[in-house]
Amino acid sequence: MQLSREQLLKSYWQMRTIREFEDRVHDEFATGKIPGFVHLYAGEEASAVGVCIELEDRDYIASTHRGHGHCIAKGCDVGAMMKEIYGARDGLCGGKGGSMHIADLSKGMMGANGIVGGGPPLVCGAALTAKTLKTGGVAVAFVGDGGSNQGTTLESYNLASVWKLPAIFVVEDNGYAETTASGWSVGGSQVERAKAFGMPGVQVDGLDFFAVNAAAREAVERARNGGGPSLIHVKLHRYYGHFEGDAQSYRDDGETARLRKEFDALAFFRQRVSEAGLLESAELDEIDRQVAGIIDEAVAEAEGAPRSTEADLLTDVYVSY
Ligand SMILES: Cc1ncc(C[n+]2csc(CCOP(=O)(O)OP(=O)(O)O)c2C)c(N)n1
Ligand SMILES: [Mg+2]
């Protein structure tokens, strides 16, 4: 089924929000105001949004260390996310998680994750819960090309397959694990790996939101209907370095500038919906304008917000369920 007009507008809104959020965090990080470690998702927007537009609040996702895009696509509050990154007390996780540990269980966002390959096992747990309690929910693990080689990921493929879990593994292949090109680290093919574990796998172009979305829709439908897990291999690129501060000496001169020109999922989306007469470019311009304002406001509020204090260290240590 084709996405509704409302879903198309929401998808563009979210992709623009991710781009603007990340470009702004890049600029602000350079001023030294943001503590900790930051990995940016700009360039990969079509993956998070193309998948999450198919999900509901009862569905869960597990993210990676490059998690801001997944958070935004799953509906987390952007202002609270920015505060979290700044270490503010009323950030999404009380300012204690920062960029790499943002979570919001009320939205089904189980968290960004500092452990590469940490998400897939969590998703097996969430998917097993959904299956056991018959909630009709599905669970999605985003994992990088580097993370796809972790034992935890491969064990999760196996568990999801033998237990026929409503799980989806989205391999976001941006061609690098830190500084190592995937040609040096990934054996065989992601899709063939899926098949080896008895689940369907498909490769899609991460430039093309609609290709990602079609693959996601099929996988979500299969999972919801008891058809078990799937894998989606998304080929994409990151605009920034591995982390903020990365000198990127392993990349060709001009590689990132070229990517912004040639691999821009937002520009691709705009062209597609305009050509098909689905949305007007003026309404997309208006989204750009509104999102820019929201991010400006989020940064201003995060800068002025009170920080976590030493006393906050001893709260939230134990959780009773
Ligand atoms: C278990 C574990 N091993 C190593 C690291 C260090 N590390 C952090 S990110 C990263 C590379 C991850 O590459 P990929 O999965 O392709 O994700 P990308 O950064 O490209 O989004 C590594 C090795 C870690 N955080 N956790
Ligand atoms: Mg990678």
Side-chain angles (χ1 to χ4, degrees):
M1 207 183 71
Q2 171 87 23
L3 289 174
S4 66
R5 183 184 148 73
E6 195 188 21
Q7 283 173 311
L8 287 172
L9 285 169
K10 183 176 172 191
S11 299
Y12 184 75
W13 177 286
Q14 288 188 328
M15 288 201 288
R16 176 59 66 199
T17 302
I18 296 171
R19 177 73 56 85
E20 194 77 25
F21 190 97
E22 298 298 62
D23 283 347
R24 194 61 191 271
V25 169
H26 170 81
D27 292 347
E28 299 302 332
F29 190 88
T31 69
K33 281 181 235 155
I34 295 177
F37 228 61
V38 172
H39 305 81
L40 299 179
Y41 192 75
E44 307 191 7
E45 296 87 354
S47 174
V49 179
V51 171
C52 291
I53 196 76
E54 295 299 319
L55 304 180
E56 302 164 11
D57 278 359
R58 65 179 165 161
D59 300 322
Y60 283 91
I61 66 166
S63 176
T64 66
H65 52 285
R66 202 174 297 291
H68 307 164
H70 305 132
C71 264
I72 291 170
K74 197 66 176 65
C76 296
D77 182 86
V78 172
M81 280 179 63
M82 193 65 87
K83 284 184 181 161
E84 184 61 33
I85 290 170
Y86 272 78
R89 247 192 127 185
D90 53 351
L92 202 54
C93 303
K96 295 175 179 182
S99 164
M100 236 188 305
H101 301 97
I102 301 187
D104 185 353
L105 293 182
S106 71
K107 297 282 179 198
M109 165 57 183
M110 291 194 289
N113 204 321
I115 299 170
V116 172
L122 295 178
V123 153
C124 285
L128 181 61
T129 303
K131 184 171 175 162
T132 307
L133 300 180
K134 298 187 173 46
T135 66
V138 305
V140 179
F142 292 94
V143 64
D145 46 296
S148 77
N149 301 322
Q150 288 290 76
T152 47
T153 303
L154 299 165
E155 289 172 40
S156 299
Y157 292 174
N158 189 55
L159 259 190
S161 179
V162 290
W163 287 348
K164 229 176 173 201
L165 296 177
I168 298 159
F169 301 97
V170 179
V171 180
E172 298 188 318
D173 178 1
N174 58 17
Y176 294 104
E178 295 199 1
T179 60
T180 307
S182 53
W184 291 72
S185 63
V186 182
S189 120
Q190 302 286 354
V191 168
E192 293 302 320
R193 287 182 185 188
K195 288 185 187 155
F197 285 100
M199 62 177 156
V202 64
Q203 186 188 96
V204 292
D205 182 355
L207 174 65
D208 183 350
F209 166 86
F210 295 96
V212 177
N213 180 248
R217 192 174 318 133
E218 195 182 316
V220 169
E221 203 175 297
R222 183 181 301 119
R224 284 210 205 286
N225 294 333
S230 313
L231 181 145
I232 304 171
H233 176 196
V234 191
K235 298 277 287 177
L236 33 68
H237 299 280
R238 60 166 154 81
Y239 286 176
Y240 291 107
H242 172 64
F243 62 100
E244 287 311 278
D246 179 0
Q248 301 192 72
S249 52
Y250 53 92
R251 277 182 137 170
D252 292 341
D253 284 347
E255 184 177 322
T256 49
R258 182 176 53 74
L259 285 174
R260 278 195 185 255
K261 267 205 194 130
E262 295 174 5
F263 189 91
D264 182 342
L266 280 81
F268 184 95
F269 181 99
R270 285 186 76 115
Q271 196 182 333
R272 264 291 178 84
V273 294
S274 301
E275 279 169 8
L278 295 168
L279 300 175
E280 301 288 327
S281 59
E283 55 191 342
L284 299 174
D285 291 344
E286 178 56 20
I287 290 178
D288 292 354
R289 204 188 57 76
Q290 287 186 27
V291 167
I294 288 167
I295 300 298
D296 271 349
E297 198 179 313
V299 170
E301 283 191 6
E303 280 185 2
R307 300 295 181 250
S308 305
T309 65
E310 238 174 84
D312 296 320
L313 275 175
L314 298 178
T315 60
D316 306 323
V317 178
Y318 296 105
V319 178
S320 41
Y321 291 100

